[in-house]
Amino acid sequence: MRWLVGWSSIAASFGTAGAVGGSDEGRTMHPVGSQLLWGDPDPLWAVGDWRPDEIRTVRVDTAEGAPTARLAVLGCCGATDEQLRVGLLAARGGALRHLTAWTGSYTAVVQIGRRITVAGDLAGARPVFYTPWAGGTAYATAALPLADLIEAQLDIGHLAALLACPETPEALRDGTPYEGVKRIPPGHALILREGSREITGYEAVASLAVAAPEVDPVTAVEGVRDALVEAVRARLLAPRHAPETLPPDPGPVPGMGPAERRAARGAPVPGIGSDLSGGSASATLALLAAGLPGLPGTILGHGTGAGERLLAVTFNDLTTRAHEDELERARLIAANPRLHHVVVAAGEEALPYAALENGPLTDEPAPSLVLVERHRRRLSAGSADHFVGDGARQVLDAHPARLADLLIDRRRRHLVRPVAALAKAEGPSAHSLFVPLTVYRAARRLARTSYRTGLEAAADRLPDANRLSPDLGTPADASLAALAWSRPGPAARWLTGEALAEVSVRLQEAAIRPTSVQRPGEARARASLARHAAGHRILEQAAEIRSQRLHAPFLDNQVVRAARALPESLRVQPGARAAILRRVLAGAGIHELPPGWGAPSQATSTAVTRTGLRASLPELIALFDAPLLADAGLVEARVVRKALRAASEGEPLPLDGLADLASTELWLRRLVSRRGTCWTGTAAPRQRAVAGGVAPARRSLQG
């Protein structure tokens, strides 16, 4: 895991770099495996296997007696040294948006005298956490180190909210699974000044009353194209490094080539690669990377021996034959002479829920924890810099609640095609005849419901979520459930009444707090993106392969900004995402795409998940024989075991809700069994975070 950590203290004098307390005490503390970027009185460290080109610092010479001005940028940033210098000068005057406008995905930290500014990203894939400490504030890009620093206990209320309402920021608030450790919202920056702290937004948000002027659709799509091309180019032009140290080569193995032997040693192929599942998002990135001039592919003489070709990886799940069309589309795309296609074949060992006992401790739980083995097998065949299409659906697609925004703007005619598509998806039935009217009424009701009324209604309904779960079996049902200011998550139906009541109180408190109310569709879409970006970040931690970097350009600030300029009337049309990406590729000179490109593959994912559930049912039943979630008062073990058996037998239960429960239980067990802390030195904490387990947190929930 790679992270950035520092603090702003009110102490006036310190000892050596990283010293804590007065200099006469001689006490020191620093993160394990860290490198110091700048020292006292407000030190900053980079922790983990950062590449040299991923850490850039700039300092501006100032007049004698003027405050120090310096900038640290960690991650993939396409800015030149001069652009970084200009951004630092702008930040001296208080302009924060400059720090977030460069190409790529990165974290920026600015120090002007004793004032420190840490900017988060728009999606939430690069979050910033903070906690009061030593009279000042400690901050980091990971929550666990801060939890260790203050020896935090587990926040069961936050875990309950994460399971009950994962896409409702009002329920999650600014919390984390650790008491006392807070998260700044996406699109905000943390400003620290000698003990005081301020959280400020740097991005304009459309209000409920005034709609932002709509951009011409052609111009908006061109903006998305330019942003994606620049995001891909930033990764291609970045210096690339072969893995520094590798485990011993196992030697010749029948059926294994050079790439397979490197994968067996846990090292990715040097160079640039991409997922090529046949889906529109990953295929767009692969084709853009292969089409740009330069050296997009593997380093000569390494890996596949493909020279300058880009390594395209397709995952072939041998346990199901439901996605043969997707594989065929991938093969047709890979006919591009600048692509070298690799098909990763995997059987039951790569199903969801396989090898649950393996995996590192991540910052927080996420559904991807039950898919780690599957992802690791795919990524181990990839390149050292590997493109993935994560986030495209949330960034480009229209959340169903955007239909209410169209009604607020009196643009009813734009609802005709999306509601007709939902009726068509229902199939020929008597029920489908009423779908358009039902969806329109739900959208109109949301458009007329105030933020406070909507949250209060959601709080009133939440305690019954474990008894009155909505039917989400069809696209129309899912869209109707999404037409609300807040809705329960898929795991809510298995939570205890006690846990749901705790989250209901959170919603009621949020309803009466003053807030800058957004439009319902815009607010729900941003919350969905933040939830997905957080899950992608946990996936990076859980499936991390040393020396490999996953690149998700759709989550970059510049791409998110460009996508937000897309008109809602364009977004809500059926097949909008695939159509937008077709135009992006056409603008880059790529016109020939295989038949069926961009077709959804959710049915395949559901079939594979159910197969994995059946194969791992004994292990899952054992996992919930005496679960920590039950000790914390969040679930009843017998209820979850019954649901697991029913789902494995084919009963139409929300499989993503069961994944939420299983991943949270796994995460709790890894956290409680953990040894050691993230800090070392004479002043380091004596205990790890949540050393006391979940029992104290359960008493807090009951209280």
Side-chain angles (χ1 to χ4, degrees), residues 528-578:
S528 177
L529 173 60
R531 171 61 175 161
H532 182 84
H536 170 76
R537 174 175 167 271
I538 298 305
L539 169 63
E540 283 186 304
Q541 296 177 357
E544 183 178 27
I545 297 175
R546 184 171 179 83
S547 301
Q548 185 179 66
R549 297 293 184 266
L550 296 188
H551 300 287
F554 286 99
L555 298 177
D556 288 4
N557 275 5
Q558 62 168 6
V559 178
V560 172
R561 283 195 178 103
R564 285 179 178 174
L566 292 169
E568 289 178 342
S569 56
L570 173 63
R571 287 177 180 269
V572 300
Q573 302 310 316
R577 174 163 50 98

Short mmCIF file of all heavy atoms in Angstrom, two decimals, residues 528-578:
data_model
loop_
_atom_site.label_atom_id
_atom_site.label_comp_id
_atom_site.label_asym_id
_atom_site.label_seq_id
_atom_site.Cartn_x
_atom_site.Cartn_y
_atom_site.Cartn_z
N SER A 528 -23.02 8.16 -6.08
CA SER A 528 -22.74 6.86 -6.69
C SER A 528 -21.30 6.79 -7.18
O SER A 528 -20.61 5.77 -7.01
CB SER A 528 -23.71 6.61 -7.84
OG SER A 528 -23.43 5.40 -8.50
N LEU A 529 -20.81 7.88 -7.79
CA LEU A 529 -19.43 7.91 -8.25
C LEU A 529 -18.45 7.82 -7.08
O LEU A 529 -17.45 7.09 -7.14
CB LEU A 529 -19.17 9.20 -9.04
CG LEU A 529 -17.72 9.48 -9.45
CD1 LEU A 529 -17.18 8.36 -10.32
CD2 LEU A 529 -17.61 10.82 -10.17
N ALA A 530 -18.74 8.53 -6.00
CA ALA A 530 -17.85 8.50 -4.83
C ALA A 530 -17.77 7.09 -4.24
O ALA A 530 -16.70 6.62 -3.85
CB ALA A 530 -18.33 9.49 -3.78
N ARG A 531 -18.91 6.42 -4.20
CA ARG A 531 -18.93 5.06 -3.66
C ARG A 531 -18.10 4.12 -4.55
O ARG A 531 -17.32 3.31 -4.07
CB ARG A 531 -20.38 4.57 -3.56
CG ARG A 531 -20.54 3.10 -3.24
CD ARG A 531 -19.94 2.75 -1.89
NE ARG A 531 -20.21 1.36 -1.54
CZ ARG A 531 -19.53 0.67 -0.64
NH1 ARG A 531 -18.55 1.26 0.02
NH2 ARG A 531 -19.83 -0.57 -0.36
N HIS A 532 -18.26 4.25 -5.86
CA HIS A 532 -17.52 3.38 -6.77
C HIS A 532 -16.03 3.67 -6.72
O HIS A 532 -15.20 2.75 -6.74
CB HIS A 532 -18.03 3.54 -8.20
CG HIS A 532 -17.35 2.65 -9.18
ND1 HIS A 532 -17.74 1.34 -9.39
CD2 HIS A 532 -16.28 2.86 -10.00
CE1 HIS A 532 -16.95 0.79 -10.29
NE2 HIS A 532 -16.05 1.68 -10.67
N ALA A 533 -15.66 4.96 -6.66
CA ALA A 533 -14.25 5.33 -6.60
C ALA A 533 -13.60 4.79 -5.33
O ALA A 533 -12.44 4.33 -5.35
CB ALA A 533 -14.10 6.84 -6.67
N ALA A 534 -14.33 4.84 -4.21
CA ALA A 534 -13.79 4.27 -2.97
C ALA A 534 -13.58 2.77 -3.11
O ALA A 534 -12.57 2.23 -2.63
CB ALA A 534 -14.75 4.58 -1.81
N GLY A 535 -14.51 2.10 -3.78
CA GLY A 535 -14.34 0.66 -4.01
C GLY A 535 -13.16 0.36 -4.91
O GLY A 535 -12.45 -0.63 -4.70
N HIS A 536 -12.93 1.20 -5.91
CA HIS A 536 -11.77 1.00 -6.79
C HIS A 536 -10.47 1.15 -6.00
O HIS A 536 -9.51 0.39 -6.22
CB HIS A 536 -11.80 2.00 -7.94
CG HIS A 536 -10.55 2.02 -8.75
ND1 HIS A 536 -10.23 1.04 -9.67
CD2 HIS A 536 -9.50 2.90 -8.77
CE1 HIS A 536 -9.06 1.31 -10.22
NE2 HIS A 536 -8.60 2.43 -9.70
N ARG A 537 -10.43 2.11 -5.11
CA ARG A 537 -9.22 2.32 -4.30
C ARG A 537 -8.94 1.10 -3.42
O ARG A 537 -7.78 0.68 -3.27
CB ARG A 537 -9.40 3.57 -3.44
CG ARG A 537 -8.30 3.82 -2.45
CD ARG A 537 -8.51 5.14 -1.74
NE ARG A 537 -7.64 5.25 -0.60
CZ ARG A 537 -7.94 4.84 0.63
NH1 ARG A 537 -9.13 4.30 0.85
NH2 ARG A 537 -7.09 4.96 1.62
N ILE A 538 -9.98 0.51 -2.84
CA ILE A 538 -9.79 -0.68 -2.02
C ILE A 538 -9.35 -1.86 -2.89
O ILE A 538 -8.52 -2.67 -2.47
CB ILE A 538 -11.08 -1.01 -1.25
CG1 ILE A 538 -11.44 0.13 -0.31
CG2 ILE A 538 -10.93 -2.30 -0.47
CD1 ILE A 538 -10.34 0.52 0.66
N LEU A 539 -9.87 -1.95 -4.10
CA LEU A 539 -9.42 -3.00 -5.02
C LEU A 539 -7.94 -2.86 -5.30
O LEU A 539 -7.20 -3.85 -5.33
CB LEU A 539 -10.22 -2.93 -6.31
CG LEU A 539 -9.70 -3.80 -7.46
CD1 LEU A 539 -9.75 -5.27 -7.08
CD2 LEU A 539 -10.50 -3.55 -8.74
N GLU A 540 -7.47 -1.63 -5.52
CA GLU A 540 -6.04 -1.41 -5.74
C GLU A 540 -5.22 -1.93 -4.57
O GLU A 540 -4.16 -2.55 -4.77
CB GLU A 540 -5.76 0.08 -5.94
CG GLU A 540 -6.13 0.63 -7.29
CD GLU A 540 -5.68 2.07 -7.44
OE1 GLU A 540 -6.06 2.91 -6.60
OE2 GLU A 540 -4.94 2.36 -8.39
N GLN A 541 -5.69 -1.69 -3.35
CA GLN A 541 -4.95 -2.15 -2.18
C GLN A 541 -5.01 -3.66 -2.03
O GLN A 541 -4.01 -4.31 -1.69
CB GLN A 541 -5.52 -1.49 -0.93
CG GLN A 541 -5.36 0.02 -0.89
CD GLN A 541 -6.00 0.63 0.34
OE1 GLN A 541 -6.62 -0.05 1.14
NE2 GLN A 541 -5.88 1.94 0.48
N ALA A 542 -6.19 -4.25 -2.29
CA ALA A 542 -6.37 -5.67 -2.05
C ALA A 542 -5.67 -6.54 -3.09
O ALA A 542 -5.13 -7.60 -2.76
CB ALA A 542 -7.87 -6.00 -2.02
N ALA A 543 -5.68 -6.10 -4.35
CA ALA A 543 -5.10 -6.90 -5.43
C ALA A 543 -3.74 -6.36 -5.86
O ALA A 543 -3.28 -6.66 -6.96
CB ALA A 543 -6.05 -6.93 -6.62
N GLU A 544 -3.10 -5.58 -5.00
CA GLU A 544 -1.85 -4.92 -5.36
C GLU A 544 -0.76 -5.93 -5.69
O GLU A 544 -0.54 -6.90 -4.97
CB GLU A 544 -1.40 -4.02 -4.21
CG GLU A 544 -0.15 -3.23 -4.52
CD GLU A 544 0.25 -2.32 -3.38
OE1 GLU A 544 -0.09 -2.63 -2.22
OE2 GLU A 544 0.89 -1.29 -3.63
N ILE A 545 -0.08 -5.68 -6.81
CA ILE A 545 1.09 -6.45 -7.22
C ILE A 545 2.26 -5.49 -7.25
O ILE A 545 2.19 -4.44 -7.89
CB ILE A 545 0.88 -7.09 -8.61
CG1 ILE A 545 -0.28 -8.08 -8.55
CG2 ILE A 545 2.15 -7.77 -9.09
CD1 ILE A 545 -0.64 -8.67 -9.89
N ARG A 546 3.31 -5.84 -6.54
CA ARG A 546 4.44 -4.93 -6.42
C ARG A 546 4.97 -4.55 -7.80
O ARG A 546 5.11 -5.40 -8.69
CB ARG A 546 5.56 -5.55 -5.58
CG ARG A 546 6.72 -4.60 -5.35
CD ARG A 546 7.70 -5.15 -4.33
NE ARG A 546 8.81 -4.25 -4.13
CZ ARG A 546 8.78 -3.19 -3.30
NH1 ARG A 546 7.69 -2.95 -2.61
NH2 ARG A 546 9.83 -2.41 -3.16
N SER A 547 5.27 -3.28 -7.98
CA SER A 547 5.80 -2.69 -9.21
C SER A 547 4.74 -2.50 -10.28
O SER A 547 5.06 -2.03 -11.38
CB SER A 547 6.95 -3.53 -9.79
OG SER A 547 8.00 -3.63 -8.86
N GLN A 548 3.49 -2.85 -9.99
CA GLN A 548 2.43 -2.61 -10.97
C GLN A 548 1.58 -1.42 -10.54
O GLN A 548 1.34 -1.21 -9.35
CB GLN A 548 1.52 -3.83 -11.12
CG GLN A 548 0.46 -3.68 -12.21
CD GLN A 548 -0.41 -4.92 -12.36
OE1 GLN A 548 -1.15 -5.26 -11.45
NE2 GLN A 548 -0.29 -5.59 -13.49
N ARG A 549 1.14 -0.63 -11.52
CA ARG A 549 0.25 0.49 -11.26
C ARG A 549 -1.01 0.32 -12.09
O ARG A 549 -0.95 0.10 -13.30
CB ARG A 549 0.91 1.82 -11.64
CG ARG A 549 2.15 2.15 -10.84
CD ARG A 549 1.82 2.42 -9.38
NE ARG A 549 3.00 2.83 -8.64
CZ ARG A 549 3.78 1.99 -7.96
NH1 ARG A 549 3.50 0.71 -7.93
NH2 ARG A 549 4.83 2.45 -7.30
N LEU A 550 -2.16 0.41 -11.43
CA LEU A 550 -3.44 0.40 -12.13
C LEU A 550 -3.81 1.84 -12.46
O LEU A 550 -3.77 2.71 -11.58
CB LEU A 550 -4.54 -0.24 -11.28
CG LEU A 550 -4.38 -1.71 -10.93
CD1 LEU A 550 -5.64 -2.22 -10.25
CD2 LEU A 550 -4.08 -2.53 -12.17
N HIS A 551 -4.18 2.09 -13.69
CA HIS A 551 -4.57 3.42 -14.13
C HIS A 551 -6.05 3.40 -14.53
O HIS A 551 -6.43 2.62 -15.41
CB HIS A 551 -3.71 3.88 -15.31
CG HIS A 551 -2.25 3.96 -15.00
ND1 HIS A 551 -1.71 4.96 -14.21
CD2 HIS A 551 -1.21 3.16 -15.35
CE1 HIS A 551 -0.39 4.77 -14.11
NE2 HIS A 551 -0.07 3.69 -14.78
N ALA A 552 -6.85 4.22 -13.90
CA ALA A 552 -8.28 4.34 -14.21
C ALA A 552 -8.55 5.76 -14.69
O ALA A 552 -9.00 6.61 -13.91
CB ALA A 552 -9.12 4.00 -12.98
N PRO A 553 -8.27 6.07 -15.95
CA PRO A 553 -8.39 7.45 -16.43
C PRO A 553 -9.79 8.04 -16.29
O PRO A 553 -9.93 9.27 -16.20
CB PRO A 553 -7.99 7.34 -17.91
CG PRO A 553 -7.15 6.12 -18.00
CD PRO A 553 -7.72 5.18 -16.99
N PHE A 554 -10.84 7.20 -16.28
CA PHE A 554 -12.19 7.73 -16.15
C PHE A 554 -12.41 8.41 -14.79
O PHE A 554 -13.35 9.17 -14.63
CB PHE A 554 -13.22 6.63 -16.36
CG PHE A 554 -13.37 6.21 -17.79
CD1 PHE A 554 -12.74 5.08 -18.26
CD2 PHE A 554 -14.12 6.96 -18.67
CE1 PHE A 554 -12.86 4.69 -19.59
CE2 PHE A 554 -14.25 6.59 -20.00
CZ PHE A 554 -13.61 5.44 -20.46
N LEU A 555 -11.55 8.11 -13.81
CA LEU A 555 -11.67 8.72 -12.49
C LEU A 555 -10.77 9.95 -12.33
O LEU A 555 -10.76 10.55 -11.26
CB LEU A 555 -11.34 7.69 -11.41
CG LEU A 555 -12.26 6.47 -11.36
CD1 LEU A 555 -11.79 5.48 -10.30
CD2 LEU A 555 -13.70 6.88 -11.09
N ASP A 556 -10.03 10.30 -13.38
CA ASP A 556 -9.19 11.51 -13.33
C ASP A 556 -10.06 12.76 -13.23
O ASP A 556 -11.16 12.82 -13.79
CB ASP A 556 -8.32 11.61 -14.57
CG ASP A 556 -7.20 10.59 -14.60
OD1 ASP A 556 -7.14 9.75 -13.68
OD2 ASP A 556 -6.39 10.63 -15.54
N ASN A 557 -9.53 13.78 -12.58
CA ASN A 557 -10.27 15.04 -12.46
C ASN A 557 -10.69 15.62 -13.80
O ASN A 557 -11.82 16.06 -13.98
CB ASN A 557 -9.43 16.08 -11.70
CG ASN A 557 -9.56 15.94 -10.20
OD1 ASN A 557 -10.19 15.02 -9.71
ND2 ASN A 557 -8.96 16.87 -9.48
N GLN A 558 -9.76 15.64 -14.76
CA GLN A 558 -10.07 16.28 -16.04
C GLN A 558 -11.16 15.52 -16.78
O GLN A 558 -12.00 16.13 -17.47
CB GLN A 558 -8.81 16.38 -16.89
CG GLN A 558 -8.20 15.04 -17.25
CD GLN A 558 -7.15 15.15 -18.33
OE1 GLN A 558 -6.80 16.24 -18.74
NE2 GLN A 558 -6.66 14.03 -18.80
N VAL A 559 -11.20 14.20 -16.66
CA VAL A 559 -12.23 13.41 -17.33
C VAL A 559 -13.57 13.58 -16.62
O VAL A 559 -14.62 13.71 -17.26
CB VAL A 559 -11.82 11.92 -17.39
CG1 VAL A 559 -12.92 11.09 -18.06
CG2 VAL A 559 -10.51 11.76 -18.14
N VAL A 560 -13.55 13.60 -15.29
CA VAL A 560 -14.78 13.82 -14.54
C VAL A 560 -15.38 15.18 -14.87
O VAL A 560 -16.59 15.32 -15.08
CB VAL A 560 -14.52 13.69 -13.02
CG1 VAL A 560 -15.75 14.10 -12.22
CG2 VAL A 560 -14.12 12.26 -12.67
N ARG A 561 -14.54 16.20 -14.93
CA ARG A 561 -15.03 17.54 -15.26
C ARG A 561 -15.63 17.58 -16.67
O ARG A 561 -16.69 18.17 -16.89
CB ARG A 561 -13.90 18.56 -15.17
CG ARG A 561 -13.54 18.97 -13.76
CD ARG A 561 -12.68 20.24 -13.76
NE ARG A 561 -12.38 20.65 -12.41
CZ ARG A 561 -11.21 20.46 -11.79
NH1 ARG A 561 -10.23 19.85 -12.44
NH2 ARG A 561 -11.02 20.86 -10.55
N ALA A 562 -14.94 16.96 -17.62
CA ALA A 562 -15.45 16.96 -18.99
C ALA A 562 -16.77 16.21 -19.08
O ALA A 562 -17.70 16.64 -19.79
CB ALA A 562 -14.42 16.33 -19.92
N ALA A 563 -16.89 15.10 -18.35
CA ALA A 563 -18.13 14.32 -18.38
C ALA A 563 -19.28 15.07 -17.73
O ALA A 563 -20.43 14.93 -18.15
CB ALA A 563 -17.92 12.97 -17.71
N ARG A 564 -19.00 15.88 -16.71
CA ARG A 564 -20.07 16.63 -16.06
C ARG A 564 -20.64 17.71 -16.96
O ARG A 564 -21.74 18.20 -16.70
CB ARG A 564 -19.55 17.24 -14.76
CG ARG A 564 -19.40 16.21 -13.65
CD ARG A 564 -18.86 16.80 -12.37
NE ARG A 564 -18.78 15.77 -11.33
CZ ARG A 564 -18.25 15.94 -10.13
NH1 ARG A 564 -17.75 17.12 -9.79
NH2 ARG A 564 -18.22 14.95 -9.26
N ALA A 565 -19.91 18.05 -18.02
CA ALA A 565 -20.44 19.02 -18.97
C ALA A 565 -21.39 18.38 -19.98
O ALA A 565 -22.04 19.11 -20.76
CB ALA A 565 -19.29 19.70 -19.71
N LEU A 566 -21.50 17.05 -19.99
CA LEU A 566 -22.42 16.39 -20.90
C LEU A 566 -23.86 16.76 -20.54
O LEU A 566 -24.24 16.70 -19.37
CB LEU A 566 -22.26 14.87 -20.84
CG LEU A 566 -20.94 14.29 -21.37
CD1 LEU A 566 -20.83 12.83 -20.99
CD2 LEU A 566 -20.86 14.46 -22.88
N PRO A 567 -24.68 17.13 -21.52
CA PRO A 567 -26.08 17.47 -21.21
C PRO A 567 -26.84 16.28 -20.64
O PRO A 567 -26.65 15.14 -21.07
CB PRO A 567 -26.64 17.89 -22.57
CG PRO A 567 -25.47 18.15 -23.44
CD PRO A 567 -24.37 17.28 -22.94
N GLU A 568 -27.70 16.54 -19.67
CA GLU A 568 -28.50 15.46 -19.10
C GLU A 568 -29.41 14.83 -20.15
O GLU A 568 -29.67 13.63 -20.12
CB GLU A 568 -29.33 15.99 -17.93
CG GLU A 568 -28.50 16.32 -16.71
CD GLU A 568 -29.34 16.88 -15.58
OE1 GLU A 568 -30.47 17.32 -15.86
OE2 GLU A 568 -28.88 16.87 -14.43
N SER A 569 -29.87 15.64 -21.08
CA SER A 569 -30.73 15.11 -22.14
C SER A 569 -29.99 14.09 -22.99
O SER A 569 -30.62 13.18 -23.56
CB SER A 569 -31.24 16.25 -23.01
OG SER A 569 -30.16 17.01 -23.55
N LEU A 570 -28.67 14.21 -23.10
CA LEU A 570 -27.87 13.22 -23.83
C LEU A 570 -27.60 12.00 -22.96
O LEU A 570 -27.68 10.86 -23.43
CB LEU A 570 -26.55 13.86 -24.28
CG LEU A 570 -25.51 12.91 -24.91
CD1 LEU A 570 -26.05 12.32 -26.19
CD2 LEU A 570 -24.21 13.66 -25.18
N ARG A 571 -27.30 12.22 -21.71
CA ARG A 571 -26.96 11.13 -20.79
C ARG A 571 -28.10 10.11 -20.66
O ARG A 571 -27.85 8.90 -20.58
CB ARG A 571 -26.66 11.68 -19.40
CG ARG A 571 -25.35 12.41 -19.23
CD ARG A 571 -25.30 12.94 -17.81
NE ARG A 571 -24.10 13.66 -17.50
CZ ARG A 571 -22.99 13.11 -16.98
NH1 ARG A 571 -22.96 11.83 -16.77
NH2 ARG A 571 -21.95 13.84 -16.70
N VAL A 572 -29.33 10.58 -20.55
CA VAL A 572 -30.44 9.69 -20.20
C VAL A 572 -30.91 8.83 -21.37
O VAL A 572 -31.73 7.93 -21.17
CB VAL A 572 -31.65 10.49 -19.66
CG1 VAL A 572 -31.27 11.26 -18.42
CG2 VAL A 572 -32.22 11.42 -20.73
N GLN A 573 -30.39 9.07 -22.57
CA GLN A 573 -30.85 8.28 -23.71
C GLN A 573 -30.30 6.86 -23.63
O GLN A 573 -29.18 6.63 -23.17
CB GLN A 573 -30.41 8.95 -25.01
CG GLN A 573 -30.91 10.37 -25.17
CD GLN A 573 -32.40 10.50 -24.90
OE1 GLN A 573 -33.19 9.68 -25.37
NE2 GLN A 573 -32.79 11.52 -24.16
N PRO A 574 -31.06 5.87 -24.08
CA PRO A 574 -30.58 4.47 -24.05
C PRO A 574 -29.28 4.31 -24.83
O PRO A 574 -29.13 4.85 -25.94
CB PRO A 574 -31.74 3.70 -24.72
CG PRO A 574 -32.94 4.58 -24.56
CD PRO A 574 -32.42 5.99 -24.60
N GLY A 575 -28.33 3.58 -24.26
CA GLY A 575 -27.06 3.35 -24.92
C GLY A 575 -26.16 4.57 -25.01
O GLY A 575 -25.26 4.62 -25.85
N ALA A 576 -26.38 5.55 -24.11
CA ALA A 576 -25.63 6.81 -24.21
C ALA A 576 -24.13 6.58 -23.99
O ALA A 576 -23.31 7.17 -24.71
CB ALA A 576 -26.16 7.81 -23.18
N ARG A 577 -23.75 5.74 -23.05
CA ARG A 577 -22.33 5.57 -22.76
C ARG A 577 -21.58 5.01 -23.96
O ARG A 577 -20.53 5.51 -24.36
CB ARG A 577 -22.14 4.67 -21.54
CG ARG A 577 -20.69 4.32 -21.24
CD ARG A 577 -20.56 3.80 -19.83
NE ARG A 577 -21.52 2.75 -19.56
CZ ARG A 577 -21.27 1.43 -19.62
NH1 ARG A 577 -20.06 1.02 -19.95
NH2 ARG A 577 -22.19 0.54 -19.34
N ALA A 578 -22.13 3.94 -24.55
CA ALA A 578 -21.47 3.35 -25.72
C ALA A 578 -21.43 4.34 -26.87
O ALA A 578 -20.43 4.42 -27.60
CB ALA A 578 -22.20 2.08 -26.14
#
